[in-house]
Amino acid sequence: MIPINRNMNRRRVLRGMLGGAAVTVGLPFLDCFLDTNGVALADGQALPVVYGTWFWGLGLNPGRWEPAKPGKMEALNVELQPLAAHKDKMNVFSGMKAFLDGKPNGVHFSGVQGMLTGTVPRGMTADKPSVDTLIADVIGTRTRFRSLEVCCAGNPSHSQSRRSGAVVNPGEISPAALYTRIFGPEFTDPNAADFKPDPAVLVRRSALTAVADDRQTFMKTLGAADKARLDEYFTSLRGLEQQLELQAQKPAPLAACTVPGKVEESPIGTEIEIVKKNHMLFAGLLAHALACGQTQVVNVAFSDATSSLRRAGGTQTHHEFSHEEPVDAVMGYQPTLAWFFNEIMTQLAFYVTTLDSIKEGDRTLLDRCAIQTATDLGYAKLHGLENMPMLTFGSGNGRLKTGIHVAAQGEPTSRLGLTMQQVMGVPVSSWGTDSMQTSKTITEIVA
Amino acid sequence: MLQFDSRRAARGRMLLSVATAALLVAGTAAAETKSFVISYLTDGNWSDGKTDCPAGLNMSAIDFYRRDLAKAGYKHDEIEAALKDFPGEGGLKQPWVPMVVTRGNHKDNVYAHPETIEDPGMIEVTGKYSYGFNLDGKGAASPNSFEEPDTHEKGVNNKLYKVEGCIRSYRGLPPPGRPSLPENLWDVLRDVMPAWLITVDAPNGFGKDGPVTITWDRALERITRDASGAVAQADMTYQVDPDPRSHNELKGEIKGNVITGMAPAWKMVLDPYLQPDISFANMHMRMTVAADGSVRGTIGGYQPWSTIYYGFADQGHIKEYAGSINLPALYYALKREADFDPDPKTGQNRQISSAYQIEAVPAFVAPSTNRTAQADSETKAR
Amino acid sequence: MLHVKKALAVAALTLTVCSTALLAADDNKAGGGPEVTRRLSQEQYRQVVADLFGPSIKVGGRFEPDIRRDGLLAMGASQVSVTASGLEEYDKIARNVAAQVVSEAHRDTLIPCTPANAKQPDDACAGKFLSETGRMLYRRPLTQDELTGRIKVANDAAVGLKDFYSGLGIALATMLESPKFLFRQEIAEPDTEHSGQYRMDAYSKASQLSFFLWNAAPDPELLAAAEKGDLNTQSGLAKQVDRMIASPRVQGGVRAFFTDMLGFDEFETLAKDSMIFPKFNTKVAKDAQEQTLRTITNTLLVEKGDYRDIFTTRETFLSPVLASVYGVPLVAPAGNWAPYTFPDGDPRAGIVSQIAFVALHSHPGRSSPTLRGKAVREVLLCQKVPTPPANVNFTLVQDTKNPQYKTARARLHAHATDATCAGCHKIMDPIGLGLEAFDSGGSLRAAENGETLDTSGELDGMKFTDAAGLAKAVHDDPAAPSCVVTRAASYGLGRLPAKDETDWVKSLQASFKDGGYRFPALLRQIATSPEFYRVGPPQMGALDAPSKLASEEIHK
């Protein structure tokens, strides 16, 4: 990366630029967009890697999702059947668990925290960043959005993505709003024939320096805990500055990028048909966003961990069924639960199919993705944290082998988060705390 | 039909209206009053998709325009050019409009003067069943009468249904058939027009068979839709519009959960979006009250067919092409099928038997706080 | 305290601008709790814009969600930061508001001067606007550096956009997304009345007071009083407090407090099955909150009544859709609100039986005695219910379609009889069962699935047979008034009272009781207490804590 002249005062440069000079005067700031972590975007070679998470609540019915044998998968078990078409591009991980180490089991919480942050918190407050933010800090720093979060069941707090402890990165709940955010007036089509930088964009970029200065003076009077919160504010501010920098620059053309049709407002809620409809709209929008280079990290929360999904006219939610529905004496599992899981897995399949349907050269968008699923429990009825189902989709530009079942009985779920970070280029050899701490990469899937 | 009881799962909720709460003690024959607000109103057109129109359905507007324009002497090329972008809404020119408007004699508006064109012909209902009532008292002997599909009463007089029941957009298809045109119009209308109220006074209470008085009124307020969006919200309060034009009192009876009533004359102001009002002679009504208090039923009677015709024709070609209702054909058919109230000079019947389906939900009815002395005295005089 | 030790370690290695005597001070001994830096809530943001720029300025966009800590969003405000998508939104909102302020329609009323040339910068006019507006936005006068910096932003932007007003708008927008606007800081200064202790500086006091009583930023009169030093005298402070409590704006503050305490933010994501509860539409959800808030403000502020009466009063206010859910006739003027009194003996007495309570604490498809009982304990009585054990054996709770179990009472039978369940459930279920006459949508019912309901229950030994009886039990429970006192103090402080503030809280509770539980008096007492403005010593971190992000290096 060409070193940046730290003494350059942006506002001084700005005057010169907008006095009629070419946009390229500002290049020293923009050189870092020549991607050295992967590929130069400009000449259309291998496109950047994508990371994503896809979260659903309440796990699956034990015994009905684990493939028969470890190694290359011949077939999928019944609850993963909706994903059959993607068998060769996915991996299944069975047997892994969350270790409480004597801490209380924060139901619908401890398990997912262990899986996504590597740490099972002591109480019901998370205090570690989630794996997607760690990866976004490496691969997400050169795109308009460092990451995109969506929540399909109508509540932005269902998101499992968090940078620091107290709060999550809120997810979009309205596909129409997401459309406007990504493809609305501030979208720059990479394939557009002409590109005119909007002078207001550079003005805004420069003006934000004053906000950064504010943060610095503000920090001086804060205690350490509050300082950490303002650190996150600063990261967010950098993200905003970056968006503007990118908007000022002509993006490299992307053959697979097409702008989707405008998405209209749709109902939002926890009734499962509504959640499915919104999920499908989100899937399309995210796929287009990825194909158009708007982000490289996407996080989907199908519902909250407790899964308030319900059927119209039904008195009970998915969650209530998980506890109250008896295990059927003949079938050996909870049938209504199986119905909900089937709906959820079918939606997951739709998501993967959507990514797989965007052709990029002789491959597809899915091929450069590494999507990691997450859930909160291994056995919802008893809030069990054993044998938590985990899946990955895509090979991440060839970094992962696929089509494999890894049976890792009794291992911590953090192994997958560690492995994903490593293949994404996060310099980490060990991740997690207490018994969730691991340095054992899942080598079976690393290419 | 837009809504069915199956949409409302059994609620098992007891309705307590303020006036009756203190009176609902088992075993007494205390008087009770219940009020309802109309949630749904549509032409009582029965269909099973098969037996009502064995001769087929009336053709679509583009087809009958082709036919009528040809008959009016236009050349084939002229007609095709005019109908090229049919119907051509949204700013596009509509070259066919002036042609069809005067397709009778190339001069007069055919909707205002339907007799300037020869009767194009209407395929009418020849099936067995219809909603409605035995208005002429002749029973099964009444020519072209029907059998009521639910009660199996014979001799139902509903010539309006006979006339319009094989028009595509007016056919009352069973689910999953799409709603008919009048249903769609009603669905838009009910959000903007003052609501219709029914009050039933049962001197012996609703638990016992006996005589009742039924009152129809218009409200000052519009309905509010409930969370499903399809039905009016139950238990809303409506103020009675003191306008006497929409005040009706009927004598009736309650048997089980079925309430019936009759009145020699009955009128409710509606809206030109459908038709300006419904004015019945020899009005009959029957409604069934479900356990959750909601109501389904039928109202019927003879009404002036000119009101019905002009309910369509006042919008000229618009309802004609939107609903594929050939208006001159409708005019001739109504005129021909009219079965009541002959003009003393010409002998032409001026009224036609008809029926409508209604659904209603429980409501509270309150006297209007906007009463004027004049309205009060007019009500009293009636 | 950990953060103090860390700050001490850092401070020891660096140059500080503060006297070394302060390094030895320990937070707790100095009095006052830990500092809280609170992010503005959505409502507060909107209120500031409305107060400063008038109600015709629209605030559009999506705000970051607030979080609840220890029962209040006001306490969660000190835990939240600003995420990337959150700042993206703040930026959009800020630019949108600023664009409206400088627009032709508004500039004449909102900008106090005219530039010499509208196509060019004008530092004098920009400075006047930014100085006055900045003072209100940052809730204190700008420092010279701050003002100079922002004038420069306006200048550069005006040059770049060739328009004074656009440039000014950009500068204003950067203030609206600055942490100095979005976060409320508590600046400490030595307390001249109590040597060795610290208090909030005058401007921090003004904010503390204003957000507490009005849920708004300090108005010009309050800021002026702060500037003059009036807030540092007991009489000066009392004068402002009395002015603010007498103002109609205190209604907004009281409503904001109860909206927080009663958890009304959950309404945003409340779902009711429209087939089972067709009456419960979004207007009902909105009006239900309004009904409860009107009931409370009428009792506490208009009638200046006993706080506990909010649990038993049958006087309330209804809108037409609420009346339909309650199943009562109501003629309201122009379809709006009308006072309504439920008859004597009606189970609908007080806020616990109102839709905003019973419908909020239910499942989408059915009622929940457990959720309602838990809410009474946690929301109204400030009593914590332990979290359920993770390894509950739910096979005990049988099939809900079992014809044997028609009512919730029957279905929850296991809660009462199984030893592992009963321990916690007996502190919730018997309360909630008293509310079973209200279904999940809030409507009154006498039976469930055909079986007549038994609505008897008990609250800590006080037995009752219906919801009105439960209302009386809550009314008579001393935990109820104690709870609202603790909540009010916590709400104002933005944190739980610290250990050495316990005596203060106890004295508030005693005065509340002795004075007949009058809420305005409680507000006054809190707002005039020195404890309300006490803080620990100022933080000594002259250097920022080292950041992990390399990008910060680039920025410098």
Side-chain angles (χ1 to χ4, degrees):
Chain A
M1 198 187 280
I2 296 170
I4 286 163
N5 184 345
R6 293 179 190 192
N7 292 328
M8 198 181 295
N9 180 316
R10 287 191 176 81
R11 294 177 211 153
R12 238 187 288 133
V13 173
L14 180 63
R15 274 183 203 274
M17 285 171 76
L18 293 181
V23 174
T24 50
V25 169
L27 260 182
F29 302 113
L30 308 175
D31 272 353
C32 52
F33 298 123
L34 286 178
D35 186 350
T36 56
N37 181 24
V39 200
L41 298 170
D43 60 16
Q45 282 181 1
L47 293 164
V49 72
V50 167
Y51 173 78
T53 59
W54 200 96
F55 176 86
W56 85 93
L58 306 184
L60 292 169
N61 276 321
R64 286 174 41 91
W65 62 272
E66 305 89 324
K69 298 193 307 278
K72 196 99 188 77
M73 291 194 284
E74 303 292 323
L76 293 177
N77 204 337
V78 58
E79 283 196 355
L80 295 184
Q81 266 311 305
L83 298 159
H86 302 295
K87 174 171 72 73
D88 296 327
K89 289 191 177 182
M90 65 187 272
N91 295 319
V92 180
F93 307 84
S94 66
M96 296 202 230
K97 57 178 284 187
F99 289 87
L100 292 174
D101 293 319
K103 300 173 201 137
N105 183 350
V107 298
H108 307 290
F109 183 72
S110 301
V112 61
Q113 293 308 313
M115 190 182 287
L116 288 178
T117 73
T119 296
V120 170
R122 186 148 292 281
M124 291 297 279
T125 309
D127 55 9
K128 290 280 186 284
S130 57
V131 58
D132 60 284
T133 60
L134 299 169
I135 291 174
D137 283 347
V138 170
I139 70 172
T141 57
R142 294 171 193 82
T143 46
R144 181 177 165 209
F145 301 102
R146 187 169 286 221
S147 67
L148 285 172
E149 285 73 47
V150 300
C151 295
C152 307
N155 187 335
S157 303
H158 289 172
S159 163
Q160 299 289 347
S161 166
R162 65 179 76 236
R163 183 158 286 283
S164 61
V167 272
V168 290
N169 293 322
E172 292 290 350
I173 58 173
S174 154
L178 183 64
Y179 176 87
T180 306
R181 184 174 168 210
I182 302 175
F183 296 106
E186 303 194 333
F187 172 67
T188 309
D189 189 338
N191 298 327
D194 57 351
F195 169 76
K196 279 188 190 41
D198 180 357
V201 165
L202 287 166
V203 166
R204 283 168 53 200
R205 168 69 189 86
S206 174
L208 285 180
T209 320
V211 182
D213 293 342
D214 277 355
R215 187 207 72 119
Q216 275 211 313
T217 52
F218 191 73
M219 292 274 273
K220 289 193 163 62
T221 53
L222 297 180
D226 284 335
K227 276 192 170 67
R229 291 164 60 208
L230 266 295
D231 265 345
E232 180 168 358
Y233 173 93
F234 180 71
T235 311
S236 307
L237 186 61
R238 274 301 293 142
L240 189 56
E241 292 174 334
Q242 195 172 291
Q243 276 190 12
L244 292 170
E245 283 160 6
L246 280 165
Q247 254 184 280
Q249 193 206 16
K250 181 176 188 348
L254 289 167
C257 170
T258 55
V259 180
K262 189 165 180 2
V263 174
E264 296 303 330
E265 291 290 345
S266 51
I268 290 171
T270 52
E271 201 248 281
I272 195 165
E273 292 305 316
I274 291 175
V275 175
K276 282 160 59 176
K277 170 108 192 282
N278 284 327
H279 172 254
M280 291 194 275
L281 291 169
F282 278 134
L285 286 171
L286 292 178
H288 281 279
L290 290 168
C292 292
Q294 303 296 296
T295 188
Q296 283 168 238
V297 178
V298 284
N299 297 304
V300 177
F302 190 72
S303 75
D304 50 335
T306 317
S307 197
S308 333
L309 300 174
R310 57 193 179 87
R311 296 180 291 195
T315 55
Q316 292 167 282
T317 60
H318 183 195
H319 174 230
E320 289 167 81
F321 277 115
S322 73
H323 293 312
E324 296 175 14
E325 186 183 33
V327 173
D328 186 290
V330 169
M331 294 189 273
Y333 58 89
Q334 295 169 277
T336 310
L337 227 60
W339 181 87
F340 275 99
F341 290 144
N342 185 264
E343 295 286 308
I344 295 169
M345 288 299 113
T346 306
Q347 283 302 305
L348 176 56
F350 179 89
Y351 185 73
V352 178
T353 303
T354 306
L355 297 173
D356 208 20
S357 67
I358 296 192
K359 298 259 168 293
E360 297 181 334
D362 57 356
R363 301 197 295 167
T364 72
L365 171 59
L366 177 65
D367 292 324
R368 62 181 169 104
C369 289
I371 308 291
Q372 168 182 3
T373 68
T375 190
D376 59 320
L377 294 170
Y379 186 30
K381 193 184 232 299
L382 304 181
H383 295 133
L385 298 174
E386 311 282 321
N387 191 26
M388 298 176 71
M390 295 199 288
L391 314 168
T392 63
F393 296 90
S395 69
N397 261 350
R399 299 162 194 221
L400 294 174
K401 293 193 203 141
T402 56
I404 297 171
H405 168 219
V406 177
Q409 203 57 35
E411 301 279 322
T413 54
S414 46
R415 286 187 68 200
L416 182 56
L418 171 72
T419 310
M420 295 302 255
Q421 288 180 72
Q422 289 172 335
V423 303
M424 287 292 143
V426 180
V428 60
S429 54
S430 160
W431 187 56
T433 55
D434 298 337
S435 301
M436 294 301 290
Q437 180 173 34
T438 181
S439 45
K440 272 177 74 176
T441 313
I442 306 178
T443 50
E444 295 95 315
I445 60 164
V446 178
Chain B
M1 303 281 268
L2 276 173
Q3 57 266 17
F4 285 100
D5 279 346
S6 59
R7 285 254 229 152
R8 300 184 283 263
R11 293 191 227 147
R13 173 183 66 84
M14 279 176 20
L15 169 69
L16 300 171
S17 73
V18 164
T20 62
L23 302 170
L24 279 180
V25 179
T28 64
E32 274 186 86
T33 300
K34 284 191 186 180
S35 297
F36 307 89
V37 68
I38 295 283
S39 176
Y40 173 81
L41 171 77
T42 198
D43 294 37
N45 294 347
W46 181 91
S47 174
D48 63 355
K50 296 193 304 274
T51 62
D52 47 333
C53 304
L57 300 178
N58 288 286
M59 55 175 77
S60 302
I62 192 173
D63 294 329
F64 66 64
Y65 282 154
R66 270 201 188 95
R67 177 196 66 190
D68 289 359
L69 289 174
K71 263 212 185 130
Y74 289 99
K75 299 205 181 35
H76 172 82
D77 291 341
E78 273 180 297
I79 296 171
E80 288 312 311
L83 294 175
K84 189 164 80 79
D85 294 310
F86 183 84
E89 284 157 292
L92 292 176
K93 289 216 190 101
Q94 297 172 295
W96 51 273
V97 171
M99 291 160 74
V100 310
V101 168
T102 56
R103 66 188 188 268
N105 60 12
H106 292 264
K107 185 167 71 83
D108 294 305
N109 181 310
V110 76
Y111 309 111
H113 305 283
E115 298 203 12
T116 57
I117 191 174
E118 238 181 71
D119 181 1
M122 181 76 88
I123 302 175
E124 297 183 4
V125 172
T126 51
K128 183 173 162 196
Y129 296 105
S130 172
Y131 300 110
F133 300 91
N134 176 0
L135 297 176
D136 61 5
K138 294 192 182 138
S142 184
N144 298 127
S145 63
F146 297 95
E147 182 179 319
E148 220 281 350
D150 298 326
T151 64
H152 298 286
E153 177 188 3
K154 295 206 173 34
V156 166
N157 304 113
N158 191 347
K159 289 297 200 68
L160 176 60
Y161 166 60
K162 182 171 190 290
V163 165
E164 65 180 29
C166 295
I167 299 172
R168 244 168 254 273
S169 65
Y170 263 72
R171 218 163 159 221
L173 290 170
R178 59 158 192 221
S180 63
L181 179 59
E183 284 176 313
N184 278 312
L185 296 175
W186 166 258
D187 196 41
V188 171
L189 184 55
R190 63 178 164 166
D191 286 329
V192 297
M193 70 169 236
W196 282 10
L197 306 169
I198 306 176
T199 299
V200 181
D201 283 300
N204 297 331
F206 280 84
K208 280 179 74 135
D209 296 355
V212 296
T213 310
I214 307 167
T215 315
W216 286 71
D217 278 294
R218 229 165 55 135
L220 295 179
E221 298 90 349
R222 304 181 292 267
I223 61 160
T224 302
R225 293 199 194 224
D226 77 0
S228 74
V231 181
Q233 175 104 341
D235 295 332
M236 296 290 288
T237 303
Y238 296 90
Q239 298 174 74
V240 172
D241 183 341
D243 185 336
R245 289 181 299 165
S246 293
H247 177 77
N248 305 277
E249 287 182 25
L250 289 72
K251 293 264 167 276
E253 67 166 9
I254 179 165
K255 222 177 188 169
N257 65 344
V258 179
I259 297 169
T260 52
M262 289 193 344
W266 178 101
K267 172 173 162 168
M268 290 289 285
V269 170
L270 186 56
D271 188 290
Y273 198 58
L274 275 173
Q275 62 185 71
D277 58 66
I278 301 182
S279 256
F280 282 136
N282 195 6
M283 185 263 190
H284 286 60
M285 64 175 282
R286 179 176 53 251
M287 58 191 218
T288 310
V289 186
D292 64 2
S294 61
V295 154
R296 296 178 69 186
T298 312
I299 59 175
Y302 293 109
Q303 60 171 310
W305 59 266
S306 60
T307 307
I308 297 173
Y309 173 67
Y310 284 108
F312 289 90
D314 67 356
Q315 293 182 42
H317 65 283
I318 292 180
K319 266 190 183 162
E320 185 175 57
Y321 88 78
S324 286
I325 308 157
N326 188 310
L327 292 185
L330 178 70
Y331 170 86
Y332 281 107
L334 289 169
K335 186 176 176 188
R336 182 177 55 245
E337 299 292 348
D339 50 352
F340 182 70
D341 184 27
D343 181 301
K345 286 210 199 85
T346 64
Q348 166 66 44
N349 278 326
R350 293 178 288 197
Q351 301 199 44
I352 189 167
S353 51
S354 58
Y356 296 85
Q357 298 215 272
I358 59 168
E359 287 184 19
V361 298
F364 294 107
V365 164
S368 155
T369 52
N370 297 7
R371 295 153 81 113
T372 62
Q374 183 185 19
D376 265 0
S377 69
E378 278 184 48
T379 311
K380 282 206 186 80
R382 240 173 146 267
Chain C
M1 306 209 57
L2 183 62
H3 73 270
V4 173
K5 293 208 183 95
K6 236 178 155 176
L8 289 177
V10 170
L13 298 171
T14 64
L15 274 173
T16 72
V17 298
C18 304
S19 135
T20 49
L22 299 168
L23 291 176
D26 174 313
D27 264 2
N28 272 343
K29 291 215 178 56
E35 118 198 355
V36 282
T37 306
R38 290 167 273 185
R39 191 188 74 195
L40 254 52
S41 71
Q42 182 184 160
E43 287 65 40
Q44 290 165 347
Y45 188 110
R46 288 174 185 279
Q47 191 65 52
V48 168
V49 171
D51 288 342
L52 198 45
F53 300 123
S56 66
I57 303 292
K58 305 266 167 289
V59 179
R62 295 182 313 285
F63 286 80
E64 287 237 61
D66 299 314
I67 57 166
R68 190 167 287 274
R69 279 284 176 270
D70 298 311
L72 290 177
L73 298 173
M75 289 197 265
S78 61
Q79 307 288 315
V80 292
S81 180
V82 177
T83 64
S85 60
L87 188 61
E88 210 187 299
E89 274 303 307
Y90 275 128
D91 181 65
K92 277 203 193 90
I93 294 168
R95 284 185 288 123
N96 191 282
V97 167
Q100 292 176 71
V101 169
V102 301
S103 67
E104 282 185 21
H106 290 106
R107 57 177 69 149
D108 291 336
T109 38
L110 295 179
I111 301 175
C113 51
T114 333
N117 180 336
K119 297 286 162 219
Q120 286 178 7
D122 183 328
D123 285 359
C125 185
K128 190 167 193 317
F129 174 75
L130 292 170
S131 163
E132 288 175 18
T133 308
R135 177 167 167 275
M136 301 306 289
L137 286 179
Y138 290 3
R139 303 172 287 272
R140 56 162 175 77
L142 266 50
T143 65
Q144 193 51 49
D145 282 346
E146 285 170 342
L147 182 58
T148 314
R150 277 315 191 287
I151 293 176
K152 188 154 199 317
V153 171
N155 189 305
D156 289 346
V159 168
L161 299 172
K162 297 189 177 48
D163 182 68
F164 166 79
Y165 289 104
S166 303
L168 192 61
I170 296 270
L172 173 59
T174 63
M175 295 184 104
L176 286 167
E177 57 195 331
S178 167
K180 296 176 178 179
F181 167 64
L182 292 175
F183 289 90
R184 293 162 52 189
Q185 252 195 308
E186 293 173 351
I187 307 291
E189 66 180 20
D191 185 347
T192 52
E193 313 277 311
H194 305 91
S195 131
Q197 288 185 6
Y198 294 86
R199 63 181 182 201
M200 290 181 198
D201 77 348
Y203 297 109
S204 307
K205 271 197 184 148
S207 283
Q208 182 81 327
L209 181 54
S210 184
F211 281 104
F212 178 55
L213 291 181
W214 288 359
N215 199 37
D219 67 352
E221 190 177 330
L222 186 60
L223 265 189
E227 247 145 22
K228 284 191 288 200
D230 289 353
L231 299 185
N232 289 330
T233 70
Q234 205 52 27
S235 61
L237 177 63
K239 179 157 173 264
Q240 290 303 315
V241 169
D242 288 334
R243 170 181 76 92
M244 294 176 81
I245 290 181
S247 158
R249 295 196 63 174
V250 78
Q251 282 229 6
V254 171
R255 287 169 64 108
F257 168 68
F258 281 102
T259 300
D260 191 351
M261 175 171 152
L262 297 175
F264 283 174
D265 52 303
E266 288 172 45
F267 269 106
E268 242 170 278
T269 47
L270 183 67
K272 292 291 169 203
D273 191 282
S274 65
M275 289 174 68
I276 305 177
F277 303 105
K279 281 182 176 177
F280 201 95
N281 57 33
T282 45
K283 185 134 207 312
V284 170
K286 193 159 149 293
D287 285 359
Q289 299 172 61
E290 182 65 22
Q291 176 200 5
T292 297
L293 292 173
R294 281 190 190 220
T295 309
I296 291 174
T297 54
N298 186 58
T299 306
L300 300 184
L301 297 178
V302 175
E303 298 188 356
K304 297 186 169 40
D306 180 325
Y307 168 74
R308 303 168 303 166
D309 288 348
I310 66 173
F311 300 114
T312 48
T313 180
R314 288 190 169 85
E315 288 174 27
T316 183
F317 300 82
L318 296 183
S319 70
V321 279
L322 289 182
S324 103
V325 173
Y326 285 121
V328 300
L330 181 89
V331 178
N336 292 324
W337 291 83
Y340 189 88
T341 304
F342 286 98
D344 287 340
D346 193 297
R348 289 166 290 202
I351 63 171
V352 176
S353 67
Q354 290 181 354
I355 296 169
F357 190 85
V358 291
L360 189 56
H361 304 291
S362 292
H363 298 298
R366 57 184 195 190
S367 66
S368 173
T370 308
L371 285 179
R372 290 165 178 178
K374 182 167 185 283
V376 169
R377 287 277 179 207
E378 294 189 337
V379 173
L380 302 176
L381 304 178
C382 292
Q383 293 163 349
K384 198 89 185 67
V385 175
T387 47
N391 59 347
V392 175
N393 185 355
F394 282 100
T395 52
L396 282 178
V397 183
Q398 287 304 318
D399 184 3
T400 53
K401 284 213 210 64
N402 187 323
Q404 282 192 324
Y405 299 125
K406 290 189 184 167
T407 64
R409 183 180 295 267
R411 287 196 294 278
L412 295 177
H413 184 64
H415 282 178
T417 52
D418 181 81
T420 47
C421 304
C424 293
H425 275 276
K426 68 173 191 259
I427 63 177
M428 296 183 282
D429 294 4
I431 301 172
L433 286 169
L435 293 169
E436 273 296 284
F438 302 100
D439 65 20
S440 167
S443 295
L444 196 58
R445 61 179 176 181
E448 185 182 1
N449 289 324
E451 187 172 306
T452 312
L453 290 170
D454 166 10
T455 59
S456 60
E458 60 128 338
L459 168 58
D460 292 338
M462 289 181 274
K463 289 201 195 318
F464 48 80
T465 54
D466 66 358
L470 165 64
K472 181 155 196 317
V474 175
H475 173 286
D476 294 344
D477 192 331
S482 297
C483 178
V484 77
V485 171
T486 315
R487 284 280 189 262
S490 306
Y491 173 84
L493 291 170
R495 56 173 171 79
L496 289 173
K499 242 174 61 169
D500 67 347
E501 291 169 330
T502 318
D503 286 344
W504 174 57
V505 174
K506 284 212 178 89
S507 81
L508 291 174
Q509 288 166 339
S511 303
F512 193 50
K513 177 168 176 216
D514 293 340
Y517 307 107
R518 309 290 150 177
F519 198 71
L522 171 65
L523 293 176
R524 188 183 193 282
Q525 202 182 0
I526 292 174
T528 52
S529 305
E531 288 86 348
F532 195 47
Y533 305 101
R534 196 168 297 145
V535 285
Q539 292 306 322
M540 291 300 101
L543 275 194
D544 298 350
S547 165
K548 291 196 190 84
L549 300 172
S551 46
E552 189 174 33
E553 279 301 303
I554 296 169
H555 171 74
K556 286 206 197 92

